[in-house]
Structures are given as C-alpha cells and as structure tokens.
Amino acid sequence: MAQDNRLHQNFGAPETTEVVGVRFRDTGKVYYFAPGKLTIKADTPVIVETARGTEYGVVTVGNKSVPTSEIVPPLRPVARIATQNDIERHEANIALEKNAFDICLEKIREHKLEMKLIDAEYTFDNNKLIFYFSSEGRVDFRELVKDLASVFRTRIELRQIGIRDEAKKMGGIGICGRPFCCSTFLSDFAQVTIKMAKEQNLSLNSAKISGTCGRLMCCLNYEYNTYEEELRLTPPVGARVKTDDGTGNVTEISPMTGMLKVALTDKQGNTVIRSYHRDKITVLKLPERGHGKGQKQQAES
C-alpha cells in the first residue's frame, strides 16, 4: 500500500508553479514572472527584473498555477507593484522616447543610411536606449551608434526587425477594415503557409491573401484546423458516390456546410447537377490522386 502511495505521488498530477503574466508593450508577448508573496490582479502595473534590467510592465494574467514544464527557467521575480512614482517615470520615458526617435531620425539622414526607423524604447531605469529599424540589407551603423551615445549619454542598441514585426509596431488597418491582428491581440506570429489558402479555396492571388506587411495574412491560420477537419469528412471532387437519385461524380464541395454537388445522368442520358448533404450519400470510390484537378470547390463566405 505504501508503494502504491509513492507511485501516486510520482505519477500523479504534474508539478506546478505559481506565476503572473506580464506584458511590456500593448501588443507584446506575455512573459511569466514569479509573484512571490504578492497577489496581483490583471491590469496592475508592476516592476519586474528581466535580462535587460529593471522593467515596467502590466499584468495581463493574475496569479495562477501552470505546469512547471511550461516555464523557461530561470523564472524572474516581480520586484513590486508599481508606485505612483514608477508610473510617472514610465510616462516620462514615453515622452523621452518620442524625442529620441526624432533625433535618431535626423542622425540617420545625416549619415545617409538606408534604414527605416520604426521605434525607440528606453529601459525603465534609462540605462539603455533601444532603436528598432528595418532594412533590406546589412547596415553599417557603427558611426551612428557613436553619434547617438554622445547625444543621449547612455548605452545605445540598434536592433533590426523583420517586416512582420514592423507592421506589429506601426499598426494600421487591414483589408478587412479592422486594425491589424498583430497590433491588437496577437502576441506571437504563427506559421502561415500557402497550403492554408488552398485548403480554404481562397484565391492564390498574392495581393488578396497577403497583409500590408507583404506576408501571408495571419488570419489564414484561424479557421484552418476546422477546414482541415471538415475536408476530411467531405468526399473530394471526383469521388464516385451513391445518392437517392442514382450514382454520380462529385463536381463541387462546400466543406463548411457539408453540401456537395453531384453530376448524375437522367433517363434521357442528360447530365444533371444536384445538391446533397454528405451525410445523405455513400462513397463508392475515391478519385485517383490528382484526378479532378481544376474542378471547383465552392468558396466559403
């Protein structure tokens, strides 16, 4: 019995660790920190210790326990809940960042560098000033860094970012008429492939499936798993099926509704197209690989 108890302890519920989730920018990634003895609610500003030093952030996930396996060690602590002085300092840093951005922009012009300045960011303790930029190629900014260091009297870091990160920081309106997903609620970029557009029968015209950043739209990933499951349940175009009206070949499918169109031959030998739900037919034969290429899959709205 004692042995059974030990086994239960070893193989029972996974080990957990108490954490809070903190975000440093409005649409930045959420990082876990150790709350210690603090109980912190969402939307509470806090001061935390990071690899970059002391930082100001906002709690987006209050105290909760997560499997220890999900944590990337070391788990850094929450130093304190932000005081009024901390909040005022953070707001002052935001004003300083705007001034630093303008100065850096002017310095880039003076040095005639092929780079696009995206953002400026001070660490909370003002020990470092980070400039984010994008560029089509490598940029020799060593002289620019020296120039900026002499102006701001602090450590300067220039960080090149990709085009998707640029869109996230800049923000804007997508073709759907809504603000960019990446600049509103997405904390990470998921992999998006052309296969996702094909499976959803979307136009493969790059202008229609690409975002403002020029990459495939993040939203192609949102419904992909559902489409994949519905396609698995739906007979493909070219399949030979049995219906209440006879046998025929599937010519068009609508996976999300489960409806498909079947070409049948009537008594006069004419081809007629009729619609059926996939649950009302029987698949007799699946098409050979590649058969039916170019046939229609009804677009979903």
Side-chain angles (χ1 to χ4, degrees), residues 35-48:
K37 296 181 179 180
L38 298 173
T39 299
I40 311 173
K41 296 181 179 179
D43 299 323
T44 302
V46 292
I47 303 300
V48 297

Side-chain angles (χ1 to χ4, degrees), residues 25 86-104 119-124 126 129 131 152:
R25 291 284 171 169
D86 293 328
I87 295 172
E88 290 174 359
R89 182 170 186 174
H90 172 66
E91 292 172 348
N93 283 345
I94 292 175
L96 290 174
E97 289 168 356
K98 293 178 181 178
N99 181 58
F101 183 94
D102 293 336
I103 293 174
C104 184
D119 197 11
E121 178 184 344
Y122 266 107
T123 56
F124 179 73
N126 299 111
L129 176 55
F131 292 100
F152 296 106

